[in-house]
Amino acid sequence: RDSFSGSLPPRAFYIYLPRGYAEHIDKKYPVLYMHDGQNCFETYHQDSYTGAWRAEEAADAIIGSGRMQECIIVGVSNGLSERMAEYLPPYASYRMPKRPTPRRKGKRSKRRTAPNPPIIGRADQTLAFYQDEVAPYINDRFRTLTDRDNTATCGSSMGGLFSTYIAWEHPRFARHHALMSPAYHTTRRADGAMEAVERMRCHPRPDVRIWLDSGTRDTEDSGDDDMVETQQARDALLAAGFTPGDDFRYYLDHGAIHHESAWSKRLPQVFEFLFPLTPPKNNPS
């Protein structure tokens, strides 16, 4: 764990170094940036919101079985109360569901609801933080491969939306992206379309590799983990020219809920896709 101050409020980084990093002093490693860093590692589960992804255990197992390149994993913490704004793209604004207003003492009037102010997306500022401050900090302190072909991002929910934003709006930062249970509904426009999905459909395809997934429930007895919205994103990617294979995977996790416990179970497959033992070729387009 390391602390960092920059253009965004101070936050912790959680850093995984592969086995043998200290011994192989001439070797450089690809880097995976994971959002919601306080939730990434079981070693620091006490810092997590509702449980850890156990990313270090997944990486040890997949690397050890020869299915993933050795890499450095950097969990970048979110800004807590600023998390949604930090991960929401600047082309979107989102109102949280209405909350009840407190009753005045002695009053028997019906409980009213007050609208929440809109949250304006600042993902452009968060991406600049990653690109211009976090990555140079990591590259100065660790033996990293710094090109985009050796850089990946991974996030869930709002973090999955943030990785979508990076892939489409700033693809020079990283080539490999995992979009897990992405919260595309937060970019819904007045006409009902989701701006994040429409950008996939209408903008030129960037040279990126995409893992996209969802579960089928928000909780054990409600919701669908944005399954329908994620399937619309899958269809938009196919329309944009992605084909299932080395550069694109879609996975529906039947019965899985919107929670770290479910993302943890899918993480070995995600890691194997992001940094396979044989690096994928560049997209000729």
Side-chain angles (χ1 to χ4, degrees), residues 148-149 151 166-177 203-210 240 242 246-247 280-285:
R148 68 182 299 273
D149 284 337
T151 306
I166 296 172
W168 254 257
E169 312 299 329
H170 300 275
R172 288 182 296 176
F173 178 68
R175 185 170 176 235
H176 320 278
H177 303 274
H203 286 201
R205 172 189 167 174
D207 177 20
V208 293
R209 299 177 63 248
I210 298 294
F242 284 84
D246 288 343
D247 288 342
K281 296 179 180 179
N282 288 331
N283 175 18
S285 63

Side-chain angles (χ1 to χ4, degrees), residues 21-272:
Y21 178 88
E23 290 75 25
H24 302 294
I25 59 174
D26 294 325
K27 184 173 181 178
K28 294 185 177 182
Y29 298 83
V31 182
L32 166 59
Y33 292 95
M34 295 186 69
H35 318 311
D36 294 314
Q38 53 267 69
N39 297 339
C40 290
F41 299 114
E42 180 65 18
T43 304
Y44 297 101
H45 70 273
Q46 70 276 3
D47 293 351
S48 68
Y49 179 58
T50 57
W53 291 39
R54 312 176 80 96
E56 73 273 46
E57 297 176 12
D60 283 346
I62 297 302
I63 291 171
S65 63
R67 291 182 286 151
M68 177 189 181
Q69 298 175 61
E70 293 181 327
C71 69
I72 295 170
I73 302 174
V74 181
V76 182
S77 294
N78 63 55
L80 301 177
S81 63
E82 297 300 310
R83 174 180 182 265
M84 178 161 278
E86 287 184 354
Y87 291 163
L88 187 68
Y91 53 70
S93 64
Y94 179 71
R95 286 186 188 270
M96 297 290 287
K98 292 181 178 180
R99 64 184 187 279
T101 54
R103 292 175 180 168
R104 296 177 63 184
K105 192 173 183 179
K107 297 287 184 179
R108 293 187 177 180
S109 59
K110 291 183 178 179
R111 207 168 194 188
R112 298 171 298 170
T113 58
N116 285 304
I119 296 170
I120 307 301
R122 303 199 303 267
D124 54 336
Q125 298 176 28
T126 309
L127 183 276
F129 175 69
Y130 274 57
Q131 181 172 269
D132 302 332
E133 301 174 63
V134 177
Y137 177 86
I138 295 299
N139 295 338
D140 284 346
R141 286 158 179 77
F142 301 98
R143 299 191 307 276
T144 61
L145 296 168
T146 60
D147 60 293
R148 68 182 299 273
D149 284 337
N150 287 288
T151 306
T153 77
C154 175
S156 67
S157 192
M158 288 301 297
L161 175 60
F162 181 45
S163 276
T164 303
Y165 171 75
I166 296 172
W168 254 257
E169 312 299 329
H170 300 275
R172 288 182 296 176
F173 178 68
R175 185 170 176 235
H176 320 278
H177 303 274
L179 325 175
M180 303 181 72
S181 301
Y184 292 142
H185 70 276
T186 61
T187 71
R188 197 178 302 278
R189 307 183 312 209
D191 64 1
M194 292 167 292
E195 182 65 23
V197 174
E198 292 308 304
R199 286 176 177 247
M200 294 180 191
R201 192 189 318 278
C202 300
H203 286 201
R205 172 189 167 174
D207 177 20
V208 293
R209 299 177 63 248
I210 298 294
W211 169 284
L212 176 68
D213 72 26
S214 82
T216 56
R217 308 291 284 173
D218 289 339
T219 65
E220 294 293 347
D221 56 4
S222 68
D224 72 350
D225 193 29
D226 268 15
M227 175 184 67
V228 172
E229 290 84 351
T230 303
Q231 289 174 336
Q232 292 177 19
R234 173 204 60 194
D235 294 344
L237 290 169
L238 294 173
F242 284 84
T243 56
D246 288 343
D247 288 342
F248 174 54
R249 303 276 179 86
Y250 168 73
Y251 180 67
L252 181 62
D253 194 356
H254 290 278
I257 63 173
H258 192 85
H259 190 268
E260 280 74 14
S261 58
W263 301 321
S264 173
K265 290 178 181 177
R266 299 204 288 272
L267 206 55
Q269 299 175 72
V270 172
F271 282 176
E272 186 175 359

